[in-house]
Amino acid sequence: MPVVEATVVVPVPPDVAFAVSQTTAPLRYRWDPFVREQRLLDGAGRPGKGVRTFTRSRHGFTMISQYVSFAPPTNVGMKMLRGPWFFEMFAGGWRFTAAEDPPGHTLATWRYSFRCRPAFLRPVAERLGHRLLGHDINRRIHAYARGCTDPVVLAAARQALTDGYGPASRPHLYP
């Protein structure tokens, strides 16, 4: 199964890095070139394990995904429940760890795994998918790094942390 991964060091501690990664509209659109629309489903007021989300990508594809893990400030994981016809399976995980150097920074690692369909096209489709998703994940993680320097995004992320990590009290910041 193909896996694409990207890493970046951002100039904020892991709790802030995690909070930035979980911003939603309109803040999310300030930094994330991939997401055109994203919202929680089923009346959820905040993210958490089992919560479903709707996402429309910049390519116009839509996906219903579900959080399979949500552990601030270290990691978040999701799996596709319904998505583009060419994905048989899609899952992703974002991990945030304190960088060894420089102090006060975070190493963000984003990893996606996928399987394409139909099976007879899988060898070609997955090579192409690896290339395209690799490009998208790199573009996205570097935009995220810029978001970690955006004063508006950082102020909202830090406020969410001040409010008791935010998802319960400021659900508009989280997908």
Side-chain angles (χ1 to χ4, degrees):
M1 182 173 332
V3 173
V4 295
E5 181 177 290
T7 61
V8 69
V9 174
V10 295
V12 294
D15 59 343
V16 176
F18 186 93
V20 168
S21 81
Q22 296 304 297
T23 55
T24 57
L27 263 38
R28 178 63 165 254
Y29 308 143
R30 286 181 66 94
W31 68 262
D32 194 338
F34 181 78
V35 173
R36 287 296 175 255
E37 179 185 356
Q38 191 171 58
R39 64 181 179 276
L40 295 173
L41 299 176
D42 308 318
R46 64 181 180 165
K49 189 173 180 178
V51 172
R52 296 179 335 129
T53 63
F54 168 86
T55 303
R56 181 177 313 280
S57 76
R58 71 181 179 96
H59 307 294
F61 297 116
T62 62
M63 182 180 291
I64 304 292
S65 59
Q66 183 175 41
Y67 283 97
V68 294
S69 66
F70 189 83
T74 60
N75 68 77
V76 63
M78 56 73 64
K79 69 177 181 178
M80 178 185 79
L81 299 177
R82 190 173 68 231
W85 66 269
F86 47 84
F87 282 136
E88 179 177 296
M89 186 282 300
F90 183 90
W94 295 358
R95 184 168 295 286
F96 307 90
T97 57
E100 292 182 20
D101 190 38
H105 287 55
T106 299
L107 173 65
T109 304
W110 295 3
R111 179 179 293 164
Y112 300 142
S113 59
F114 64 97
R115 184 171 39 247
C116 292
R117 61 180 165 204
F120 74 92
L121 290 177
R122 191 170 290 147
V124 172
E126 289 182 351
R127 278 195 303 277
L128 179 62
H130 190 273
R131 175 180 258 165
L132 294 173
L133 282 174
H135 173 76
D136 267 356
I137 196 173
N138 279 303
R139 181 175 183 235
R140 191 175 190 192
I141 203 168
H142 286 97
Y144 159 78
R146 288 188 300 277
C148 286
T149 65
D150 181 324
V152 173
V153 174
L154 288 174
R158 288 185 173 118
Q159 185 62 52
L161 294 171
T162 299
D163 290 348
Y165 190 69
S169 59
R170 297 176 61 95
H172 66 282
L173 294 178
Y174 299 89

